[in-house]
């Protein structure tokens, strides 16, 4: 056993004291935080706030049906293409919904046949990331095992075995040139149409890139579709659906019955469904904290004035 010198003992005691002090500070901080939260809201109100904060849903609309019809046409004609929208439009959730119409999931695995595969890319979007995302979506146990060659062979074999007829790639903005070329090979060698899904940046700044290496990419994805923002009638549908799902009958806000509020919600959300859901959660929590708050455009603008409006679409520089 090695001897413990005086200096080491002092350091060890200092570290122990510091850890104890940190623990006591954390306990004190948590107690003050809990006390402040209790002063702000009752336990029942806090529970309701937490429930609303976790509210997550998506309402399919006519625009989703029209997108699904376009995807069906691409699948039947075996044509590649791309779909673009603003961030927060709900496009990725719409693609997930499209997949569920054709493919059932049993636990983490897709049932055979799986005619539609929808996989979302995570940064940095290289070929390895691409194949890992596809295999992970399918539920393959070796989704992250092996070299690129292994992953490619595994993904191609699995896709063929599942009878895939269309491959949809979400967050395609993240893809590298090498990953785009992998997808082109999937189409040319397996005759499975590939649909890229992303923001307007995908179409305007990547697929339209004036660069020789991207000519093959551009010419492989000539079919395009723009997923539209919500119009006023659709905003009303979404708001009514959200209130019905997440607010008790006796605490409905009835926002769509206040014309100025509907106009405010559409303007402040930019016609995008995710920012609209964000606003609905904020307003519902506001009414829990301030039951006498009068819902109108003036009061909401004053209260949420710091919230920026989303940048729906940039104008390209000439």
């Amino acid at each position: 056993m090695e001897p413990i010198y005086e200096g080491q003992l002092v350091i060890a005691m200092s570290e122990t004291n510091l850890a104890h002090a940190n623990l006591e500070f954390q306990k004190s901080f948590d107690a003050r935080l809990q006390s402040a939260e209790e002063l702000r809201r009752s336990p029942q109100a806090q529970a309701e706030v937490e429930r609303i904060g976790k509210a997550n849903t998506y309402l399919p609309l006519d625009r989703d049906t029209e997108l699904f019809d376009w995807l069906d046409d691409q699948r039947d004609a075996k044509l590649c293409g791309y779909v673009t929208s603003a961030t927060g439009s709900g496009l990725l959730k719409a693609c997930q919904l499209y997949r569920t119409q054709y493919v059932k999931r049993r636990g983490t695995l897709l049932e055979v046949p799986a005619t539609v595969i929808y996989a979302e890319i995570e940064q940095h979007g290289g070929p390895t990331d691409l194949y890992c995302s596809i295999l992970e979506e399918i539920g393959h146990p070796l989704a992250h095992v092996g070299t690129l060659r292994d992953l490619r062979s595994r993904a191609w074999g699995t896709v063929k075995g599942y009878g895939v007829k269309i491959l949809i790639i979400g967050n395609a903005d993240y893809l590298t040139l090498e990953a785009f070329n992998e997808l082109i090979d999937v189409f040319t060698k397996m005759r499975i149409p590939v649909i890229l899904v992303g923001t307007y940046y995908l179409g305007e700044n990547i697929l339209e890139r004036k660069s020789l290496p991207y000519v093959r990419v551009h010419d492989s994805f000539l079919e395009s579709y723009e997923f539209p923002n919500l119009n006023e009638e659709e905003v009303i549908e979404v708001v009514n659906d959200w209130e019905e799902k997440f607010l008790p009958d006796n605490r409905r806000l009835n926002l769509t019955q206040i014309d100025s509020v509907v106009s405010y919600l559409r303007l402040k959300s930019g016609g995008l469904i995710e920012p609209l859901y964000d606003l609905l959660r904020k307003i519902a929590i506001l009414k829990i904290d301030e039951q006498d708050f009068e819902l109108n455009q003036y009061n909401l603008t004053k209260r949420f004035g710091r919230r920026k409006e989303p940048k729906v679409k940039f104008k390209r520089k000439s």
Side-chain angles (χ1 to χ4, degrees):
M1 179 176 178
E2 295 184 4
I4 300 176
Y5 298 102
E6 183 177 351
Q8 292 176 318
L9 183 60
V10 170
I11 292 173
M13 291 178 64
S14 298
E15 290 177 345
T16 302
N17 291 337
L18 180 60
H20 180 72
N22 286 339
L23 181 61
E24 289 301 315
F25 173 79
Q26 187 63 46
K27 288 181 179 178
S28 175
F29 177 79
D30 291 343
R32 290 198 303 271
L33 187 63
Q34 183 177 358
S35 177
E37 201 65 64
E38 289 173 352
L39 288 173
R40 184 182 179 192
R41 299 187 183 105
S42 67
Q44 294 81 3
Q46 182 60 31
E48 184 69 2
V49 166
E50 290 180 5
R51 184 185 67 81
I52 290 174
K54 296 175 183 176
N56 185 25
T57 188
Y58 181 75
L59 176 66
L61 300 161
D62 288 343
R63 63 177 188 159
D64 298 87
T65 303
E66 292 167 3
L67 169 64
F68 296 170
D69 289 343
W70 184 82
L71 290 171
D72 286 344
D73 291 341
Q74 299 301 111
R75 178 200 61 206
D76 295 340
K78 295 191 181 301
L79 292 174
C80 293
Y82 63 96
V83 185
T84 56
S85 71
T87 301
S89 67
L91 175 57
L92 298 184
K93 287 184 177 179
C95 290
Q96 293 170 10
L97 183 61
Y98 178 75
R99 192 266 300 164
T100 60
Q101 290 190 344
Y102 290 93
V103 183
K104 303 300 180 184
R105 187 181 290 278
R106 182 177 296 172
T108 59
L109 300 175
L110 298 182
E111 294 184 3
V112 180
T115 55
V116 177
I117 293 295
Y118 170 69
E120 289 185 4
I121 302 301
E122 297 179 358
Q123 294 200 36
H124 296 277
T128 298
D129 301 309
L130 169 66
Y131 287 124
C132 285
S133 296
I134 293 172
L135 289 167
E136 196 173 74
E137 170 61 21
I138 293 171
H140 199 289
L142 303 178
H144 299 274
V145 178
T147 64
L148 173 58
R149 183 189 296 271
D150 297 329
L151 293 169
R152 181 191 296 118
S153 175
R154 193 173 299 138
W156 285 34
T158 306
V159 164
K160 184 177 180 180
Y162 271 72
V164 175
K165 294 184 177 180
I166 187 170
L167 175 61
I168 304 172
I169 303 297
N171 292 329
D173 314 63
Y174 294 157
L175 293 172
T176 63
L177 176 61
E178 292 78 9
F180 279 121
N181 283 323
E182 292 283 348
L183 289 171
I184 294 170
D185 288 344
V186 168
F187 173 66
T188 57
K189 296 178 181 180
M190 301 183 70
R191 301 306 297 173
I192 296 175
V194 176
I195 303 298
L196 307 174
V197 176
T199 65
Y200 292 120
Y201 182 83
L202 170 67
E204 297 178 0
N205 295 78
I206 297 179
L207 299 179
E208 293 291 337
R209 186 173 294 178
K210 292 177 171 46
S211 170
L212 280 177
Y214 274 85
V215 170
R216 182 173 182 245
V217 179
H218 173 276
D219 291 349
S220 298
F221 298 93
L222 299 175
E223 303 268 329
S224 65
Y225 189 92
E226 183 173 344
F227 192 63
N229 300 336
L230 304 174
N231 58 38
E232 189 161 318
E233 291 74 20
E234 289 170 331
V235 168
I236 291 173
E237 285 186 65
V238 170
V239 173
N240 283 335
D241 175 75
W242 190 89
E243 288 198 34
E244 183 178 341
K245 285 177 178 174
F246 298 110
L247 299 182
D249 290 341
N250 62 341
R251 290 209 298 275
R252 294 278 171 83
L253 303 176
N254 299 317
L255 295 172
T256 59
Q257 298 178 22
I258 312 170
D259 291 338
S260 62
V261 172
V262 172
S263 301
Y264 171 81
L265 290 173
R266 188 186 179 201
L267 175 67
K268 204 67 176 175
S269 67
L272 303 175
I273 199 167
E274 295 299 341
L276 178 57
Y277 284 142
D278 294 343
L279 285 165
L280 292 175
R281 289 196 301 273
K282 289 203 73 170
I283 293 171
I285 291 172
L286 172 63
K287 283 294 287 182
I288 291 174
D289 291 336
E290 301 179 34
Q291 296 182 16
D292 295 330
F293 184 89
E294 184 178 352
L295 292 170
N296 57 52
Q297 186 170 6
Y298 175 79
N299 287 343
L300 290 174
T301 301
K302 187 175 180 181
R303 183 57 63 94
F304 301 141
R306 294 195 188 108
R307 182 181 173 86
K308 298 178 181 177
E309 296 171 15
K311 294 185 183 295
V312 176
K313 197 171 185 179
F314 290 96
K315 292 183 180 179
R316 295 191 69 183
K317 295 180 180 179
S318 57

